[in-house]
Amino acid sequence: GEDVEQSLFLSVREGDSSVINCTYTDSSSTYLYWYKQEPGAGLQLLTYIFSNMDMKQDQRLTVLLNKKDKHLSLRIADTQTGDSAIYFCAERSWGKLQFGAGTQVVVTP
Amino acid sequence: GAGVSQSPSNKVTEKGKDVELRCDPISGHTALYWYRQSLGQGLEFLIYFQGNSAPDKSGLPSDRFSAERTGGSVSTLTIQRTQQEDSAVYLCASSLVVAGSGNTIYFGEGSWLTVV
């Protein structure tokens, strides 16, 4: 069956880089996504990567995909206090998104 | 509309009552999804629509849950005889198509349901 796993918590100092990791099991996944959820809010799409790509960069965000190992990561450069949130990894082959449990990122001054 | 719109944003209901949650997707989006997020939990898939059809309703937790979509636009999620374990945030999302290019999924702010 499909399964997406993430570490549950990450603490990072302001100004440092954050790296959030995710593994998935569905080899037929075509798109992989990162969403951000701030307290009391819905999900905000941060970025996504197509499965035939290895890397995608978008301003402070870098997504790395290792399709062989089914490993996805999100790097946030120069992490700010506004980056404190829960980050969800999701994979999709057809139809629904399958989400991980989310990684809570806490940015400390 | 500019984004996915959900109503009500907050709903408190008594155990045993029925509730209806509404989702208005982004204009032109053919695919619509419902997810549930319980306190401290991840996102649980409920159902998705392609047009007015629901190819995958495997995530509906019980027969008390149903959803429909009319006119390829607005969808309603109905929970009958609500139970306390139904308390959660119900998130709706939409995408232009189900798969292929342009299938980015955008979420609404959610409907917060509390069953007392």
Side-chain angles (χ1 to χ4, degrees):
Chain A
E2 304 151 352
D3 200 10
V4 180
E5 293 190 353
Q6 304 177 236
S7 53
L8 295 182
F9 185 80
L10 175 68
S11 179
V12 62
R13 293 182 65 174
E14 190 176 8
D16 288 350
S17 292
S18 311
V19 178
I20 309 167
N21 294 300
C22 171
T23 59
Y24 60 99
T25 58
D26 188 353
S27 57
S28 64
S29 297
T30 53
Y31 288 88
L32 296 120
Y33 301 81
W34 285 103
Y35 283 85
K36 176 183 179 183
Q37 186 177 39
E38 297 181 75
L43 277 84
Q44 174 194 355
L45 176 66
L46 285 179
T47 187
Y48 66 93
I49 188 167
F50 188 48
S51 59
N52 67 354
M53 297 170 65
D54 298 323
M55 185 182 85
K56 181 178 180 180
Q57 187 152 4
D58 183 1
Q59 300 183 330
R60 292 191 299 121
L61 305 178
T62 303
V63 179
L64 295 177
L65 174 62
N66 182 327
K67 196 173 180 183
K68 174 176 170 289
D69 293 338
K70 299 190 185 67
H71 182 268
L72 181 74
S73 67
L74 175 69
R75 178 177 180 270
I76 307 173
D78 187 25
T79 311
Q80 303 298 307
T81 55
D83 295 324
S84 291
I86 300 176
Y87 291 79
F88 290 93
C89 163
E91 59 89 16
R92 182 183 194 188
S93 54
W94 180 269
K96 67 187 181 189
L97 283 172
Q98 186 76 23
F99 284 89
T103 300
Q104 181 164 10
V105 173
V106 174
V107 182
T108 57
Chain B
V4 178
S5 178
Q6 292 187 244
S7 62
S9 52
N10 282 283
K11 175 76 175 177
V12 180
T13 191
E14 290 182 355
K15 180 180 170 182
K17 295 283 177 82
D18 296 352
V19 296
E20 282 191 353
L21 307 176
R22 175 189 165 107
C23 173
D24 202 341
I26 293 172
S27 179
H29 280 195
T30 64
L32 185 147
Y33 313 79
W34 284 99
Y35 283 81
R36 178 169 73 174
Q37 186 176 28
S38 303
L39 187 63
Q41 300 297 311
L43 288 116
E44 176 187 10
F45 168 78
L46 298 178
I47 187 172
Y48 89 89
F49 290 90
Q50 174 60 44
N52 294 333
S53 301
D56 188 349
K57 54 180 81 170
S58 62
L60 294 176
S62 73
D63 58 9
R64 295 187 296 106
F65 288 72
S66 63
E68 66 174 12
R69 189 179 186 198
T70 56
S73 181
V74 172
S75 175
T76 303
L77 177 69
T78 302
I79 309 171
Q80 296 178 307
R81 304 181 302 281
T82 52
Q83 304 294 312
Q84 287 184 327
E85 61 264 28
D86 300 334
S87 296
V89 179
Y90 290 83
L91 291 163
C92 178
S94 71
S95 64
L96 193 61
V97 293
V98 171
S101 61
N103 72 344
T104 305
I105 298 179
Y106 297 94
F107 281 80
E109 293 291 308
S111 290
W112 294 66
L113 175 66
T114 304
V115 182
V116 297

